Amino acid sequence: MATETKQRIEAGTYSVDPVHSHIGFAVVHNGVSTFRSGFSGYQAKLVGGEHPSLTGTVEVDSIDIDEPQLRGHLLSPDFFDVERNPRLEFRSTELVVGEDGSVRIRGELEIGGTVRQVEASGRYADVGADLAGSARVGISLETTVDRREFGLEWNAELPSGGEVLDYDVRIEVGLELVKEDE
């Protein structure tokens, strides 16, 4: 029987560096292309040690879309309903880093007031000290969710058949985090 070798995240609290991080999503549009966007307003904290955890909050109205009509539609009750649900939230319930830097994370994702269990995978890197001498780590994660599970069911039929939007949405998170002074 094989044993899992784990890498330890050094104890302490790490806060996101928003200049070097990204939270985004991708969904197939009209069955032919992938629409990508992200959010500019978010917070994330990683707590290292024996039982590492990751939490994060995204401000929905910070969605990065310049086209006013599309932006308004995504913020409307058809999608995120920003008036009633201004934030997306994530709380890990398990975070495992393999010796090779692979990451598997499970947790609760809340979108539109609906909470679902999700699992993501990716990579972890202990960057060491940055130019200012602060300890940094990086985590990149990816998962796919069915948006209908969060009440995001809007769609429209195309004249030639099929639907405007796929229901599967890929979530991509790349975080660079700085250890807080203790």
Side-chain angles (χ1 to χ4, degrees):
M1 180 161 86
T3 59
E4 182 178 36
T5 306
K6 296 180 184 177
Q7 182 176 342
R8 184 175 159 100
I9 299 173
E10 185 180 324
T13 301
Y14 301 78
S15 293
V16 71
D17 171 355
V19 173
H20 298 104
S21 299
H22 174 76
I23 296 178
F25 62 91
V27 62
V28 173
H29 181 259
N30 286 335
V32 295
S33 67
T34 301
F35 173 79
R36 289 178 172 80
S37 189
F39 300 91
S40 59
Y42 52 86
Q43 294 293 321
K45 291 237 186 248
L46 172 68
V47 176
E50 190 69 28
H51 301 287
S53 65
L54 180 67
T55 58
T57 302
V58 172
E59 300 299 325
V60 174
D61 67 358
S62 75
I63 196 165
D64 185 22
I65 297 176
D66 290 334
E67 204 288 311
Q69 186 173 351
L70 176 56
R71 179 180 166 74
H73 191 208
L74 289 176
L75 295 177
S76 79
D78 282 343
F79 285 97
F80 289 113
D81 196 2
V82 70
E83 293 284 325
R84 291 192 320 194
N85 303 290
R87 284 175 213 77
L88 312 176
E89 296 189 24
F90 177 80
R91 294 167 293 286
S92 70
T93 55
E94 179 183 35
L95 192 159
V96 177
V97 180
E99 191 64 37
D100 62 354
S102 62
V103 173
R104 181 177 44 81
I105 188 168
R106 290 185 176 130
E108 298 175 338
L109 177 61
E110 181 176 348
I111 300 175
T114 301
V115 178
R116 295 282 183 258
Q117 291 290 318
V118 296
E119 184 172 327
S121 60
R123 307 283 310 153
Y124 168 81
D126 186 339
V127 179
D130 61 17
L131 291 175
S134 300
R136 283 187 183 251
V137 298
I139 293 182
S140 60
L141 298 165
E142 189 173 298
T143 192
T144 300
V145 298
D146 183 331
R147 61 188 175 91
R148 293 173 292 191
E149 292 182 4
F150 296 93
L152 305 176
E153 298 184 17
W154 182 91
N155 223 331
E157 286 287 321
L158 293 168
S160 59
E163 295 178 308
V164 172
L165 291 176
D166 196 0
Y167 289 107
D168 287 340
V169 177
R170 190 171 64 244
I171 299 172
E172 303 161 336
V173 176
L175 302 175
E176 191 168 315
L177 302 119
V178 182
K179 191 171 187 183
E180 295 178 359
D181 293 331
E182 301 187 352

Short mmCIF file of all heavy atoms in Angstrom, two decimals, residues 25-67:
data_model
loop_
_atom_site.label_atom_id
_atom_site.label_comp_id
_atom_site.label_asym_id
_atom_site.label_seq_id
_atom_site.Cartn_x
_atom_site.Cartn_y
_atom_site.Cartn_z
N PHE A 25 -12.85 33.08 -14.36
CA PHE A 25 -13.73 31.99 -14.78
C PHE A 25 -13.77 31.93 -16.30
O PHE A 25 -13.44 32.90 -16.98
CB PHE A 25 -15.13 32.14 -14.19
CG PHE A 25 -15.85 33.38 -14.65
CD1 PHE A 25 -16.67 33.37 -15.78
CD2 PHE A 25 -15.73 34.58 -13.95
CE1 PHE A 25 -17.34 34.51 -16.19
CE2 PHE A 25 -16.39 35.73 -14.35
CZ PHE A 25 -17.20 35.70 -15.48
N ALA A 26 -14.17 30.78 -16.81
CA ALA A 26 -14.27 30.58 -18.26
C ALA A 26 -15.49 29.72 -18.54
O ALA A 26 -15.76 28.75 -17.83
CB ALA A 26 -13.01 29.91 -18.78
N VAL A 27 -16.24 30.08 -19.59
CA VAL A 27 -17.43 29.33 -19.99
C VAL A 27 -17.54 29.35 -21.51
O VAL A 27 -17.24 30.36 -22.15
CB VAL A 27 -18.71 29.91 -19.32
CG1 VAL A 27 -18.98 31.34 -19.75
CG2 VAL A 27 -19.91 29.02 -19.56
N VAL A 28 -17.95 28.22 -22.09
CA VAL A 28 -18.11 28.15 -23.53
C VAL A 28 -19.34 28.96 -23.94
O VAL A 28 -20.41 28.83 -23.35
CB VAL A 28 -18.23 26.68 -24.00
CG1 VAL A 28 -18.56 26.60 -25.49
CG2 VAL A 28 -16.94 25.93 -23.69
N HIS A 29 -19.16 29.81 -24.97
CA HIS A 29 -20.21 30.71 -25.46
C HIS A 29 -20.55 30.34 -26.90
O HIS A 29 -19.66 30.17 -27.73
CB HIS A 29 -19.70 32.16 -25.39
CG HIS A 29 -20.69 33.17 -25.85
ND1 HIS A 29 -20.63 33.75 -27.09
CD2 HIS A 29 -21.76 33.69 -25.23
CE1 HIS A 29 -21.62 34.60 -27.21
NE2 HIS A 29 -22.33 34.58 -26.09
N ASN A 30 -21.85 30.20 -27.19
CA ASN A 30 -22.34 29.85 -28.52
C ASN A 30 -21.77 28.53 -29.04
O ASN A 30 -21.77 28.27 -30.24
CB ASN A 30 -22.07 30.96 -29.54
CG ASN A 30 -22.98 32.14 -29.35
OD1 ASN A 30 -24.08 32.01 -28.82
ND2 ASN A 30 -22.53 33.30 -29.78
N GLY A 31 -21.23 27.72 -28.14
CA GLY A 31 -20.71 26.42 -28.52
C GLY A 31 -19.41 26.46 -29.30
O GLY A 31 -18.93 25.42 -29.74
N VAL A 32 -18.83 27.65 -29.49
CA VAL A 32 -17.64 27.73 -30.34
C VAL A 32 -16.44 28.41 -29.71
O VAL A 32 -15.31 28.19 -30.12
CB VAL A 32 -17.95 28.45 -31.68
CG1 VAL A 32 -18.93 27.66 -32.51
CG2 VAL A 32 -18.45 29.86 -31.45
N SER A 33 -16.66 29.28 -28.74
CA SER A 33 -15.52 29.99 -28.15
C SER A 33 -15.64 29.97 -26.63
O SER A 33 -16.69 29.67 -26.08
CB SER A 33 -15.45 31.43 -28.66
OG SER A 33 -16.56 32.17 -28.19
N THR A 34 -14.55 30.32 -25.98
CA THR A 34 -14.55 30.36 -24.53
C THR A 34 -14.50 31.80 -24.07
O THR A 34 -13.56 32.53 -24.41
CB THR A 34 -13.35 29.57 -23.96
OG1 THR A 34 -13.45 28.22 -24.41
CG2 THR A 34 -13.36 29.59 -22.44
N PHE A 35 -15.51 32.21 -23.32
CA PHE A 35 -15.56 33.54 -22.73
C PHE A 35 -14.83 33.49 -21.40
O PHE A 35 -15.10 32.62 -20.57
CB PHE A 35 -17.01 33.99 -22.52
CG PHE A 35 -17.12 35.28 -21.77
CD1 PHE A 35 -16.93 36.48 -22.42
CD2 PHE A 35 -17.40 35.28 -20.41
CE1 PHE A 35 -17.01 37.69 -21.72
CE2 PHE A 35 -17.49 36.47 -19.71
CZ PHE A 35 -17.30 37.67 -20.36
N ARG A 36 -13.89 34.42 -21.19
CA ARG A 36 -13.12 34.47 -19.95
C ARG A 36 -13.27 35.84 -19.31
O ARG A 36 -13.28 36.86 -19.99
CB ARG A 36 -11.65 34.23 -20.22
CG ARG A 36 -11.33 32.81 -20.60
CD ARG A 36 -9.84 32.64 -20.90
NE ARG A 36 -9.50 31.25 -21.09
CZ ARG A 36 -9.70 30.59 -22.22
NH1 ARG A 36 -10.23 31.19 -23.25
NH2 ARG A 36 -9.36 29.31 -22.30
N SER A 37 -13.36 35.84 -18.00
CA SER A 37 -13.37 37.09 -17.25
C SER A 37 -12.85 36.79 -15.85
O SER A 37 -12.46 35.66 -15.55
CB SER A 37 -14.78 37.69 -17.19
OG SER A 37 -14.72 38.99 -16.63
N GLY A 38 -12.85 37.81 -15.02
CA GLY A 38 -12.38 37.64 -13.66
C GLY A 38 -12.91 38.75 -12.77
O GLY A 38 -13.81 39.50 -13.16
N PHE A 39 -12.34 38.83 -11.60
CA PHE A 39 -12.76 39.80 -10.61
C PHE A 39 -11.52 40.55 -10.11
O PHE A 39 -10.46 39.95 -9.90
CB PHE A 39 -13.44 39.11 -9.43
CG PHE A 39 -14.67 38.35 -9.82
CD1 PHE A 39 -14.61 37.02 -10.18
CD2 PHE A 39 -15.91 38.98 -9.85
CE1 PHE A 39 -15.74 36.32 -10.55
CE2 PHE A 39 -17.06 38.29 -10.22
CZ PHE A 39 -16.97 36.96 -10.57
N SER A 40 -11.66 41.85 -9.86
CA SER A 40 -10.53 42.62 -9.36
C SER A 40 -10.60 42.86 -7.85
O SER A 40 -9.59 43.20 -7.24
CB SER A 40 -10.44 43.97 -10.08
OG SER A 40 -11.63 44.71 -9.88
N GLY A 41 -11.76 42.67 -7.24
CA GLY A 41 -11.92 42.88 -5.81
C GLY A 41 -12.07 41.57 -5.07
O GLY A 41 -13.10 40.91 -5.18
N TYR A 42 -11.04 41.18 -4.33
CA TYR A 42 -11.10 39.93 -3.58
C TYR A 42 -10.09 39.96 -2.44
O TYR A 42 -9.14 40.74 -2.44
CB TYR A 42 -10.84 38.72 -4.47
CG TYR A 42 -9.58 38.82 -5.30
CD1 TYR A 42 -8.36 38.44 -4.79
CD2 TYR A 42 -9.63 39.33 -6.58
CE1 TYR A 42 -7.21 38.55 -5.54
CE2 TYR A 42 -8.49 39.44 -7.35
CZ TYR A 42 -7.28 39.04 -6.82
OH TYR A 42 -6.14 39.16 -7.57
N GLN A 43 -10.32 39.08 -1.48
CA GLN A 43 -9.41 38.86 -0.35
C GLN A 43 -9.22 37.36 -0.23
O GLN A 43 -10.13 36.59 -0.51
CB GLN A 43 -10.00 39.41 0.95
CG GLN A 43 -10.15 40.91 0.98
CD GLN A 43 -8.81 41.60 0.98
OE1 GLN A 43 -7.85 41.16 1.62
NE2 GLN A 43 -8.72 42.69 0.23
N ALA A 44 -8.04 36.96 0.23
CA ALA A 44 -7.78 35.54 0.50
C ALA A 44 -6.78 35.44 1.63
O ALA A 44 -5.88 36.29 1.75
CB ALA A 44 -7.26 34.84 -0.74
N LYS A 45 -6.95 34.43 2.46
CA LYS A 45 -6.02 34.15 3.55
C LYS A 45 -5.71 32.66 3.56
O LYS A 45 -6.60 31.82 3.43
CB LYS A 45 -6.63 34.52 4.90
CG LYS A 45 -6.81 36.00 5.10
CD LYS A 45 -6.09 36.46 6.33
CE LYS A 45 -6.43 37.91 6.59
NZ LYS A 45 -5.33 38.79 6.39
N LEU A 46 -4.44 32.38 3.72
CA LEU A 46 -3.97 31.01 3.87
C LEU A 46 -3.37 30.91 5.26
O LEU A 46 -2.55 31.75 5.66
CB LEU A 46 -2.90 30.70 2.82
CG LEU A 46 -2.16 29.37 2.96
CD1 LEU A 46 -3.11 28.21 2.69
CD2 LEU A 46 -0.97 29.34 2.01
N VAL A 47 -3.79 29.91 6.01
CA VAL A 47 -3.22 29.65 7.33
C VAL A 47 -2.43 28.35 7.21
O VAL A 47 -2.99 27.31 6.85
CB VAL A 47 -4.30 29.55 8.41
CG1 VAL A 47 -3.68 29.20 9.76
CG2 VAL A 47 -5.08 30.86 8.51
N GLY A 48 -1.13 28.43 7.48
CA GLY A 48 -0.28 27.25 7.41
C GLY A 48 -0.21 26.54 8.74
O GLY A 48 -0.80 26.97 9.72
N GLY A 49 0.54 25.46 8.76
CA GLY A 49 0.69 24.69 9.99
C GLY A 49 0.15 23.28 9.83
O GLY A 49 0.02 22.76 8.72
N GLU A 50 -0.17 22.68 10.96
CA GLU A 50 -0.62 21.28 10.99
C GLU A 50 -1.87 21.03 10.15
O GLU A 50 -1.99 20.01 9.49
CB GLU A 50 -0.87 20.87 12.45
CG GLU A 50 -1.09 19.40 12.64
CD GLU A 50 0.17 18.57 12.40
OE1 GLU A 50 1.29 19.08 12.59
OE2 GLU A 50 0.02 17.39 12.01
N HIS A 51 -2.83 21.95 10.21
CA HIS A 51 -4.08 21.82 9.46
C HIS A 51 -4.28 23.08 8.63
O HIS A 51 -5.01 23.99 9.03
CB HIS A 51 -5.26 21.60 10.40
CG HIS A 51 -5.12 20.38 11.25
ND1 HIS A 51 -5.26 19.11 10.76
CD2 HIS A 51 -4.80 20.24 12.57
CE1 HIS A 51 -5.04 18.24 11.72
NE2 HIS A 51 -4.76 18.90 12.83
N PRO A 52 -3.63 23.17 7.46
CA PRO A 52 -3.72 24.39 6.67
C PRO A 52 -5.14 24.64 6.16
O PRO A 52 -5.93 23.71 6.00
CB PRO A 52 -2.76 24.14 5.51
CG PRO A 52 -2.65 22.67 5.41
CD PRO A 52 -2.86 22.13 6.79
N SER A 53 -5.45 25.92 5.95
CA SER A 53 -6.77 26.28 5.44
C SER A 53 -6.66 27.50 4.54
O SER A 53 -5.73 28.30 4.66
CB SER A 53 -7.74 26.56 6.58
OG SER A 53 -7.33 27.70 7.31
N LEU A 54 -7.62 27.63 3.64
CA LEU A 54 -7.68 28.76 2.72
C LEU A 54 -9.10 29.30 2.74
O LEU A 54 -10.07 28.54 2.66
CB LEU A 54 -7.32 28.31 1.31
CG LEU A 54 -7.34 29.38 0.22
CD1 LEU A 54 -6.25 30.42 0.44
CD2 LEU A 54 -7.18 28.73 -1.15
N THR A 55 -9.23 30.61 2.87
CA THR A 55 -10.53 31.27 2.79
C THR A 55 -10.42 32.42 1.81
O THR A 55 -9.33 32.98 1.61
CB THR A 55 -10.99 31.82 4.16
OG1 THR A 55 -10.01 32.73 4.64
CG2 THR A 55 -11.22 30.71 5.16
N GLY A 56 -11.54 32.76 1.21
CA GLY A 56 -11.53 33.88 0.28
C GLY A 56 -12.90 34.47 0.07
O GLY A 56 -13.92 33.79 0.24
N THR A 57 -12.91 35.74 -0.31
CA THR A 57 -14.14 36.48 -0.60
C THR A 57 -13.92 37.28 -1.88
O THR A 57 -12.88 37.90 -2.04
CB THR A 57 -14.48 37.45 0.55
OG1 THR A 57 -14.60 36.71 1.76
CG2 THR A 57 -15.77 38.19 0.29
N VAL A 58 -14.91 37.25 -2.75
CA VAL A 58 -14.87 38.01 -4.00
C VAL A 58 -16.03 38.99 -4.01
O VAL A 58 -17.16 38.63 -3.70
CB VAL A 58 -14.99 37.06 -5.22
CG1 VAL A 58 -15.15 37.84 -6.51
CG2 VAL A 58 -13.80 36.12 -5.29
N GLU A 59 -15.75 40.25 -4.35
CA GLU A 59 -16.78 41.26 -4.53
C GLU A 59 -17.34 41.12 -5.95
O GLU A 59 -16.62 41.36 -6.92
CB GLU A 59 -16.21 42.67 -4.31
CG GLU A 59 -15.64 42.89 -2.92
CD GLU A 59 -16.66 42.73 -1.81
OE1 GLU A 59 -17.85 43.09 -2.01
OE2 GLU A 59 -16.27 42.24 -0.73
N VAL A 60 -18.61 40.71 -6.05
CA VAL A 60 -19.21 40.42 -7.35
C VAL A 60 -19.19 41.62 -8.28
O VAL A 60 -18.91 41.49 -9.48
CB VAL A 60 -20.65 39.89 -7.18
CG1 VAL A 60 -21.34 39.72 -8.53
CG2 VAL A 60 -20.64 38.57 -6.42
N ASP A 61 -19.43 42.83 -7.76
CA ASP A 61 -19.48 44.00 -8.64
C ASP A 61 -18.11 44.40 -9.18
O ASP A 61 -18.00 45.34 -9.96
CB ASP A 61 -20.19 45.18 -7.97
CG ASP A 61 -19.45 45.76 -6.78
OD1 ASP A 61 -18.37 45.22 -6.41
OD2 ASP A 61 -19.94 46.74 -6.22
N SER A 62 -17.05 43.67 -8.81
CA SER A 62 -15.73 43.94 -9.36
C SER A 62 -15.45 43.10 -10.61
O SER A 62 -14.31 43.03 -11.07
CB SER A 62 -14.64 43.69 -8.30
OG SER A 62 -14.43 42.30 -8.10
N ILE A 63 -16.51 42.48 -11.16
CA ILE A 63 -16.34 41.65 -12.35
C ILE A 63 -15.70 42.48 -13.47
O ILE A 63 -16.05 43.64 -13.67
CB ILE A 63 -17.68 41.01 -12.78
CG1 ILE A 63 -17.44 39.87 -13.77
CG2 ILE A 63 -18.64 42.05 -13.33
CD1 ILE A 63 -18.65 38.98 -13.96
N ASP A 64 -14.76 41.90 -14.15
CA ASP A 64 -13.96 42.60 -15.15
C ASP A 64 -14.58 42.44 -16.54
O ASP A 64 -14.17 41.59 -17.32
CB ASP A 64 -12.53 42.06 -15.12
CG ASP A 64 -11.61 42.82 -16.05
OD1 ASP A 64 -11.92 43.97 -16.38
OD2 ASP A 64 -10.58 42.24 -16.44
N ILE A 65 -15.60 43.27 -16.80
CA ILE A 65 -16.27 43.27 -18.10
C ILE A 65 -16.56 44.72 -18.47
O ILE A 65 -17.24 45.43 -17.73
CB ILE A 65 -17.58 42.46 -18.08
CG1 ILE A 65 -17.26 41.00 -17.78
CG2 ILE A 65 -18.34 42.60 -19.39
CD1 ILE A 65 -18.44 40.10 -17.62
N ASP A 66 -16.02 45.16 -19.61
CA ASP A 66 -16.16 46.55 -20.04
C ASP A 66 -17.47 46.82 -20.76
O ASP A 66 -17.91 47.96 -20.81
CB ASP A 66 -14.99 46.95 -20.95
CG ASP A 66 -13.69 47.04 -20.17
OD1 ASP A 66 -13.73 47.29 -18.95
OD2 ASP A 66 -12.62 46.86 -20.80
N GLU A 67 -18.09 45.82 -21.35
CA GLU A 67 -19.31 46.03 -22.13
C GLU A 67 -20.48 46.21 -21.17
O GLU A 67 -20.84 45.29 -20.43
CB GLU A 67 -19.52 44.82 -23.06
CG GLU A 67 -20.36 45.11 -24.29
CD GLU A 67 -21.82 45.31 -23.97
OE1 GLU A 67 -22.39 44.48 -23.25
OE2 GLU A 67 -22.40 46.31 -24.43
#
